[in-house]
């Protein structure tokens, strides 16, 4: 059984999802891939992981790095999980390009090349938005490319962080 909770952010409603222990999803309510990791049956419930996540979000939306993560469970493929683990390493207020992530994975796997488009697909399907900071990934020319929660939100989040 999965569980959900709601959070009202300055950028709109957010839905949180959990397996009962770990966070499995965090989506803006208009997110393109809303609920993609939720099981067929779920219910609204107060859980410690939701309390921790709300605290994380409160700190984050105050413009500060929360400095901790609630427990996470990534329901995804091995490739997407590796991309998301790299996203977790991008510091608050910093950005990384799709190409940089692709090059890192290519190096780790001993491949001569990794597709930045494949990385983009993994980034775009991030089910634990904000906490796994997919909004910190930009195009190789520095332009802001898609964000499942909406490009306006990506701009607002990077501005909140004072991203370079």
């Amino acid at each position: 059984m999965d569980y959900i909770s709601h959070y009202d952010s300055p950028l709109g409603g957010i839905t949180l999802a959990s397996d009962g222990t770990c966070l499995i999803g965090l989506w803006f309510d208009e997110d393109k891939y809303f609920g993609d990791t939720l099981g067929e049956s779920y219910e609204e419930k107060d859980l410690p992981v939701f309390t921790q996540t709300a605290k994380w979000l409160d700190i984050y939306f105050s413009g500060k790095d929360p400095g901790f993560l609630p427990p996470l469970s990534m329901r995804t493929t091995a490739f997407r999980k590796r991309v998301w683990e790299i996203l977790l390493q991008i510091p608050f207020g910093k950005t990384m390009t799709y190409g940089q992530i692709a090059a890192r994975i290519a190096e780790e796997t001993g491949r001569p090349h990794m597709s930045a488009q494949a990385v983009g697909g993994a980034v775009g399907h991030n089910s634990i938005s904000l906490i796994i900071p997919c909004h910190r990934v930009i195009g190789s020319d520095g332009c802001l490319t898609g964000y499942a929660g909406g490009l306006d939100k990506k701009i607002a989040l990077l501005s909140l962080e004072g991203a370079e």
Side-chain angles (χ1 to χ4, degrees):
M1 171 72 77
D2 290 338
Y3 304 94
I4 62 168
S5 182
H6 299 281
Y7 179 88
D8 291 322
S9 86
L11 300 178
I14 291 175
T15 297
L16 314 173
S18 172
D19 60 9
T21 305
C22 296
L23 195 67
I24 61 165
L26 188 156
W27 307 272
F28 283 103
D29 290 344
E30 316 79 40
D31 193 293
K32 184 175 181 179
Y33 302 108
F34 182 89
D36 64 346
T37 57
L38 272 174
E40 288 186 27
S41 101
Y42 56 88
E43 65 184 51
E44 197 158 337
K45 186 174 183 179
D46 287 331
L47 295 171
V49 68
F50 292 148
T51 302
Q52 290 173 304
T53 303
K55 180 178 178 181
W56 190 99
L57 290 166
D58 288 345
I59 295 167
Y60 179 82
F61 283 114
S62 77
K64 298 179 183 124
D65 182 350
F68 71 95
L69 293 174
L72 306 176
S73 178
M74 299 177 202
R75 289 184 175 175
T76 192
T77 65
F79 175 72
R80 286 182 182 174
K81 183 176 182 183
R82 182 61 196 126
V83 171
W84 299 356
E85 289 168 346
I86 292 170
L87 298 181
L88 283 168
Q89 297 170 17
I90 304 171
F92 183 92
K94 302 289 183 190
T95 59
M96 188 176 223
T97 69
Y98 297 96
Q100 288 171 316
I101 296 169
R104 188 161 164 189
I105 292 174
E107 182 180 328
E108 289 175 1
T109 59
R111 295 180 183 176
H113 178 74
M114 168 61 60
S115 163
Q117 288 81 9
V119 167
V123 170
H125 283 84
N126 171 19
S127 300
I128 308 174
S129 189
L130 294 176
I131 292 176
I132 298 177
C134 53
H135 61 279
R136 295 181 188 150
V137 183
I138 60 174
S140 60
D141 60 358
C143 72
L144 301 182
T145 57
Y147 183 65
L151 199 52
D152 59 325
K153 287 184 177 66
K154 182 172 186 164
I155 292 166
L157 295 169
L158 290 172
S159 177
L160 173 80
E161 293 184 21
E164 301 171 2

